[in-house]
Amino acid sequence: MPALFFVLGIPLLGSLVLAVTGHRDVARNLNVAFSFGTFVAACFLTAQIIADGPTLVWDQQFFIDPLNVFLVTLTAFVGLTTSIFSRPYMRVEQDKGKMTPPRMRLYHGMYQLFSFTMLLALTTNNLGILWVAMEAATLTTVLLVSVYRTAASLEAAWKYFILCGVGIAQALFGTVLLYMAAEKVLGPQGATLLWTNLDAIKLQLDPAIVTLAFAFLFIGYGAKVGMVPLHSWLPDAHAEGPTPVSAVLSGLLLNVAMYAVLRCKVLTDGALQTPLAGQLMMGFGLLSVVVASFFLSRQKDVKRMFSYSSIEHMGLITFAFGMGGPIANFAGLLHMTVHSLIKSAIFFTVGHATQKAGTQIMSEIRGLIKVNPTVGWGLMLGVMAILGMPPFGVFASEFLILTTAMREQPWATPFLFIALGVAFASMLVRVLPMVFGETSLKPLAHPPALLPVFVHLGLGLMLGLYIPAYLNTWFVQAARMLGG
């Protein structure tokens, strides 16, 4: 499949090229060019899947279906818009001396390699390659988080490496257990780590082994989702790394880790014929929503605040997929999409705001509407969108999740309402002074890249008012595949 070759080949080639030329001024444009090529290839791949249906390629090692093809396109799109935002942002960082030529080369090379690992994880049919891709993503993001080489960034990168390293080790053990369960049915030569093969025989897998395997896989990949209590790496990584890295962490990495959990849940549901996997996801998802919401009220650093917002929303997504069923699964997929778009747009505006103010402390950032009206309004609209105000897409997905919870899991509904209310008040009371407060700051030195902000917000608004037919079809098909 030529489109898949380019989807994976372009960012891999980009990482090699930028590893050599990433310190030059042209590197910022090359980063955008490679990201654009990846997005175009992803669009062609999507068109092929729409026309031909799910496809196995390259000796069945890669599998594209409605569950992952829209995530591939979303990943490529957010990667492109973040690279556009990154151009003026990293130029300012270079002007300030925070980014030296070797650091710029490392940043651009790792950015493309990170995109490659995400796309590899989404498209592979082999659970072993999935684990390798997630481990490679961990290593690339460790280097991106620590690129400033300050004591705080190195500490954040070390914490990220240790926590996610421990988590990914648990996922490896879970993968080995799945292999053990499949080998009893398929034999040693039966391509036992191919997800399509496992899906075909899931009813014959040993329930005891699969239960243990899912426990380890959920812990391992759940750590990269940012699930409580393995979440503490995420606020530090967001706060200390460059803002473009925060955008792709929230917009891409968390989604890909959730995708890995969902693939494992499908196998577990089939093998056990019980809701155990869903109950685990609901429990930890709800815990993440509640804990993150109350931590929001204690934050002083703007990037840490929005990182806890990401934990809250990933918890809500996990809860939705835990409930299962066509409506909850549809809502979870929709929420993954709009959260990626809106949260990355918020980080774009936060990046420009913190650069101008010279600090990430919210009490010292004021009057964004005067410093740059589009930055101020972009942040205000983004916050209103992520808090679930209509008519943005987050409102639609949260409405579906909450109404489904009222009907199927009424015990959880009060916790969800309280947590969302606390999150709403905590974020709004801090953002309003940042946007409308008094300030003596002058306008930004370099014109900020705000087109990605309003493109993302526009798409988030559209998904709250109207879901295009082809996208609705993807969501319905993927929700049906997830079962529950």
Side-chain angles (χ1 to χ4, degrees), residues 133-251:
M134 294 300 293
E135 176 68 6
T138 299
L139 297 177
T140 55
T141 44
V142 164
L143 294 173
L144 286 170
V145 168
S146 65
V147 73
Y148 287 144
R149 294 298 187 269
T150 63
S153 67
L154 291 172
E155 180 184 352
W158 181 248
K159 181 185 289 188
Y160 173 53
F161 177 73
I162 293 298
L163 284 176
C164 288
V166 170
I168 210 73
Q170 307 301 310
L172 175 61
F173 189 57
T175 304
V176 171
L177 288 173
L178 269 184
Y179 175 86
M180 182 190 302
E183 188 181 26
K184 293 183 177 181
V185 180
L186 296 173
Q189 305 300 321
T192 48
L193 281 180
L194 296 184
W195 186 86
T196 48
N197 289 352
L198 289 166
D199 187 49
I201 62 157
K202 60 188 177 185
L203 295 175
Q204 305 172 52
L205 297 176
D206 187 328
I209 297 177
V210 173
T211 299
L212 193 59
F214 181 78
F216 282 102
L217 289 164
F218 183 61
I219 293 170
Y221 292 130
K224 296 189 77 67
V225 174
M227 302 291 292
V228 174
L230 300 174
H231 66 287
S232 60
W233 65 268
L234 200 151
D236 288 347
H238 279 67
E240 303 303 335
T243 303
V245 177
S246 302
V248 293
L249 277 175
S250 278

Side-chain angles (χ1 to χ4, degrees), residues 275-298:
L276 174 64
Q279 289 171 349
L280 278 174
M281 293 178 70
M282 280 192 293
F284 282 97
L286 183 61
L287 178 65
S288 298
V289 174
V290 173
V291 170
S293 296
F294 281 93
F295 266 104
L296 277 170
S297 63
R298 302 175 55 189

Side-chain angles (χ1 to χ4, degrees), residues 413-429:
T413 307
F415 297 101
L416 290 172
F417 272 110
I418 292 172
L420 292 176
V422 170
F424 186 96
S426 300
M427 290 179 65
L428 200 59
V429 76

Side-chain angles (χ1 to χ4, degrees), residues 94-443:
Q94 201 168 12
D95 291 345
K96 291 181 176 180
K98 297 179 69 174
M99 294 295 291
T100 61
R103 293 176 189 175
M104 289 296 292
R105 189 164 60 243
L106 175 66
Y107 168 79
H108 285 123
M110 288 301 102
Y111 185 92
Q112 288 297 319
L113 188 59
F114 173 78
S115 296
F116 168 74
T117 59
M118 292 294 92
L119 294 167
L120 178 63
L122 288 171
T123 55
T124 185
N125 188 34
N126 190 312
L127 294 182
I129 297 178
L130 171 63
W131 181 87
V132 170
M134 294 300 293
E135 176 68 6
T138 299
L139 297 177
T140 55
T141 44
V142 164
L143 294 173
L144 286 170
V145 168
S146 65
V147 73
Y148 287 144
R149 294 298 187 269
T150 63
S153 67
L154 291 172
E155 180 184 352
W158 181 248
K159 181 185 289 188
Y160 173 53
F161 177 73
I162 293 298
L163 284 176
C164 288
V166 170
I168 210 73
Q170 307 301 310
L172 175 61
F173 189 57
T175 304
V176 171
L177 288 173
L178 269 184
Y179 175 86
M180 182 190 302
E183 188 181 26
K184 293 183 177 181
V185 180
L186 296 173
Q189 305 300 321
T192 48
L193 281 180
L194 296 184
W195 186 86
T196 48
N197 289 352
L198 289 166
D199 187 49
I201 62 157
K202 60 188 177 185
L203 295 175
Q204 305 172 52
L205 297 176
D206 187 328
I209 297 177
V210 173
T211 299
L212 193 59
F214 181 78
F216 282 102
L217 289 164
F218 183 61
I219 293 170
Y221 292 130
K224 296 189 77 67
V225 174
M227 302 291 292
V228 174
L230 300 174
H231 66 287
S232 60
W233 65 268
L234 200 151
D236 288 347
H238 279 67
E240 303 303 335
T243 303
V245 177
S246 302
V248 293
L249 277 175
S250 278
L252 303 182
L253 179 64
L254 305 187
N255 277 358
V256 175
M258 177 58 67
Y259 165 81
V261 172
L262 293 177
R263 286 294 194 194
C264 298
K265 178 180 182 290
V266 170
L267 300 178
T268 306
D269 287 343
L272 303 186
Q273 295 296 301
T274 67
L276 174 64
Q279 289 171 349
L280 278 174
M281 293 178 70
M282 280 192 293
F284 282 97
L286 183 61
L287 178 65
S288 298
V289 174
V290 173
V291 170
S293 296
F294 281 93
F295 266 104
L296 277 170
S297 63
R298 302 175 55 189
Q299 300 311 307
K300 298 179 180 179
D301 184 300
V302 63
K303 290 173 68 176
R304 289 182 69 89
M305 182 180 73
F306 285 116
S307 71
Y308 276 105
S309 173
S310 294
I311 296 171
E312 174 210 353
H313 284 279
M314 293 310 297
L316 192 61
I317 291 167
T318 305
F319 180 83
F321 286 128
M323 285 193 294
I327 297 177
N329 287 336
F330 183 98
L333 292 167
L334 177 60
H335 202 83
M336 287 175 73
T337 305
V338 292
H339 175 257
S340 292
L341 294 170
I342 300 300
K343 187 56 65 63
S344 52
I346 289 173
F347 275 115
F348 296 162
T349 60
V350 165
H352 291 308
T354 55
Q355 273 190 335
K356 183 57 186 174
T359 180
Q360 294 177 189
I361 304 302
M362 287 180 280
S363 61
E364 299 177 18
I365 303 174
R366 290 290 184 266
L368 294 177
I369 204 76
K370 298 178 181 177
V371 175
N372 189 299
T374 47
V375 169
W377 282 115
L379 178 59
M380 194 69 241
L381 290 173
V383 168
M384 298 305 291
I386 206 66
L387 290 176
M389 291 294 289
F392 288 97
V394 175
F395 169 78
S397 57
E398 287 187 348
F399 180 82
L400 289 174
I401 293 170
L402 289 171
T403 52
T404 304
M406 290 178 191
R407 183 177 67 253
E408 299 182 5
Q409 306 293 335
W411 61 271
T413 307
F415 297 101
L416 290 172
F417 272 110
I418 292 172
L420 292 176
V422 170
F424 186 96
S426 300
M427 290 179 65
L428 200 59
V429 76
R430 284 165 173 76
V431 171
L432 284 174
M434 291 173 60
V435 175
F436 298 108
E438 294 296 327
T439 183
S440 59
L441 294 176
K442 297 179 181 179

